[in-house]
C-alpha cells in the first residue's frame, strides 16, 4: 500500500524559511516522480513543484520559483521542499503526491498533508 | 483564477446522474491526459480517473471520465450521499511547464 507521510509544517514568521519532508513507503520510490501540492484554507488545489524519478528534472509554479527548492533522496525514500522568504499567502496544507516517472506524468496518491502557517 | 475552469457547484438527487465539466486549452487538456480527484470533507484528495477515462482499481464503475478537444467531463451515476465532495480536474500544461488544477466543484446530493 502506498504511504506518504509529510512532516515539517509549522507556524513561521514572514520572511523565514522552512523545510518540509515526505517519507514514502509501499512502492519503489525511484520509479516515480514526486510533487508538492498545496491547499490554502477553504481554497482549491495548487500545484507547487515536481521532481522526476532521478531528480534530473524539476518544475515549479510561478509562485514558488526563486523561493522554493524541491529535492529527493532515493536512498532514503524521501522528498523535500525547502521554502524560503515565506509569505502569508504561502499558508496552506502541503501535500506530498506521487507522480508517474516524469514531472508531466499523471499524479495519483496523496499524503495527508502538513500545515504551514506564515504569520507574524 | 484557475487555468482549468470548473463549475463551482452541482447538485442532484440520490440515484441520479451528474456531470462535472472541466474546460482548458490546447496547451493543457487539448494535448495532455486529464485526471480527476475526489476530496471528501476533511480528507486528502483521492485519485478517481486517469488518462481521461481510466479508473484505478477500487474505483466503482459509477465514476467515468471523457475528453473532447479542450474539455473534459466527469460523470457520476447512481449518486449516493457519500459522493458529496469536492471534485478537481488536473493535467499538465505544456506551455507553463506546470501541473494545473481546476478550481474544484462541490457536489451536493440532495
Amino acid at each position: 500500500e502506498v504511504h506518504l507521510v509529510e512532516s515539517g509544517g509549522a507556524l513561521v514568521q514572514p520572511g523565514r524559511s522552512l523545510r518540509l519532508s515526505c517519507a514514502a513507503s509501499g512502492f519503489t520510490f525511484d520509479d516515480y516522480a514526486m510533487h508538492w501540492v498545496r491547499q490554502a484554507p477553504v481554497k482549491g488545489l495548487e500545484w507547487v513543484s515536481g521532481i522526476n524519478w532521478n531528480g534530473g528534472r524539476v518544475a515549479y509554479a510561478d509562485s514558488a520559483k526563486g523561493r522554493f527548492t524541491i529535492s529527493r533522496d532515493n536512498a532514503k525514500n524521501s522528498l523535500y521542499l525547502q521554502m524560503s522568504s515565506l509569505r502569508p499567502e504561502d499558508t496552506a496544507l502541503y501535500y506530498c503526491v506521487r507522480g508517474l516517472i516524469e514531472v508531466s506524468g499523471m499524479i495519483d496518491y496523496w499524503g495527508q498533508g502538513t500545515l504551514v502557517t506564515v504569520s507574524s | 483564477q484557475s487555468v482549468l475552469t470548473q463549475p463551482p457547484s452541482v447538485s442532484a438527487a440520490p440515484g441520479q446522474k451528474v456531470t462535472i465539466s472541466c474546460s482548458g486549452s490546447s496547451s493543457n487538456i487539448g494535448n495532455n491526459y486529464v485526471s480527476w480527484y475526489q476530496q471528501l470533507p476533511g480528507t486528502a484528495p483521492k485519485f478517481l480517473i486517469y488518462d481521461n477515462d481510466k479508473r484505478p482499481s477500487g474505483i466503482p464503475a459509477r465514476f467515468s471520465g471523457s475528453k473532447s478537444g479542450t474539455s473534459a467531463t466527469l460523470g457520476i451515476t447512481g449518486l449516493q450521499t457519500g459522493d458529496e465532495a469536492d471534485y478537481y480536474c488536473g493535467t499538465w500544461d505544456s506551455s507553463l511547464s506546470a501541473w494545473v488544477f481546476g478550481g474544484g466543484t462541490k457536489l451536493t446530493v440532495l
Side-chain angles (χ1 to χ4, degrees), chain A residues 12 18-19 21 30 42 49 52 64-65 84 87 93 102 119:
Chain A
V12 295
L18 195 64
R19 188 195 198 205
S21 299
D30 54 13
V42 205
S49 181
N52 77 334
K65 285 178 183 174
S84 61
R87 307 165 180 165
L93 188 62
E102 292 298 332
S119 175

Side-chain angles (χ1 to χ4, degrees), chain A residues 45-68:
Chain A
L45 303 174
E46 180 190 12
W47 177 82
V48 175
S49 181
I51 185 168
N52 77 334
W53 65 279
N54 67 356
R57 184 185 179 193
V58 297
Y60 297 95
D62 286 344
S63 59
K65 285 178 183 174
R67 299 190 301 129
F68 294 1

Side-chain angles (χ1 to χ4, degrees), chain A residues 18-77:
Chain A
L18 195 64
R19 188 195 198 205
L20 304 183
S21 299
C22 171
S25 61
F27 63 101
T28 304
F29 187 66
D30 54 13
D31 278 350
Y32 292 86
M34 296 297 295
H35 302 260
W36 290 99
V37 177
R38 68 185 181 185
Q39 186 169 32
V42 205
K43 295 289 187 182
L45 303 174
E46 180 190 12
W47 177 82
V48 175
S49 181
I51 185 168
N52 77 334
W53 65 279
N54 67 356
R57 184 185 179 193
V58 297
Y60 297 95
D62 286 344
S63 59
K65 285 178 183 174
R67 299 190 301 129
F68 294 1
T69 302
I70 191 171
S71 62
R72 64 189 295 161
D73 185 336
N74 286 348
K76 295 182 178 180
N77 288 352

Side-chain angles (χ1 to χ4, degrees), chain A residues 35 37 39 43-47 57 59-62 65 95 103-113, chain B residues 2 32 35 37 39 42-47 50-51 56-57 86 88 92 96-103:
Chain A
H35 302 260
V37 177
Q39 186 169 32
K43 295 289 187 182
L45 303 174
E46 180 190 12
W47 177 82
R57 184 185 179 193
Y60 297 95
D62 286 344
K65 285 178 183 174
Y95 293 106
V103 177
S104 58
M106 73 176 182
I107 285 176
D108 54 14
Y109 291 95
W110 302 61
Q112 292 304 305
Chain B
S2 303
N32 293 290
S35 298
Y37 306 90
Q39 188 174 32
T43 70
K46 176 184 174 181
F47 190 35
Y50 68 100
D51 288 359
S57 60
D86 293 322
Y88 295 89
W92 179 256
L96 298 174
S97 290
W99 256 81
V100 291
F101 290 99

Side-chain angles (χ1 to χ4, degrees), chain B residues 1-88:
Chain B
Q1 196 149 345
S2 303
V3 172
L4 304 181
T5 301
Q6 296 180 235
S9 64
V10 296
S11 62
Q16 296 301 303
K17 174 183 177 178
V18 71
T19 60
I20 298 173
S21 61
C22 175
S23 178
S25 67
S26 58
S27 65
N28 42 66
I29 292 178
N31 283 284
N32 293 290
Y33 288 116
V34 176
S35 298
W36 288 90
Y37 306 90
Q38 176 195 60
Q39 188 174 32
L40 296 169
T43 70
K46 176 184 174 181
F47 190 35
L48 207 57
I49 296 287
Y50 68 100
D51 288 359
N52 305 329
D53 57 9
K54 297 179 176 59
R55 283 178 289 106
S57 60
I59 300 300
R62 302 189 296 110
F63 295 90
S64 64
S66 64
K67 187 181 98 168
S68 178
T70 59
S71 293
T73 302
L74 173 70
I76 310 173
T77 60
L79 278 171
Q80 302 172 1
T81 55
D83 295 332
E84 287 201 333
D86 293 322
Y87 292 85
Y88 295 89

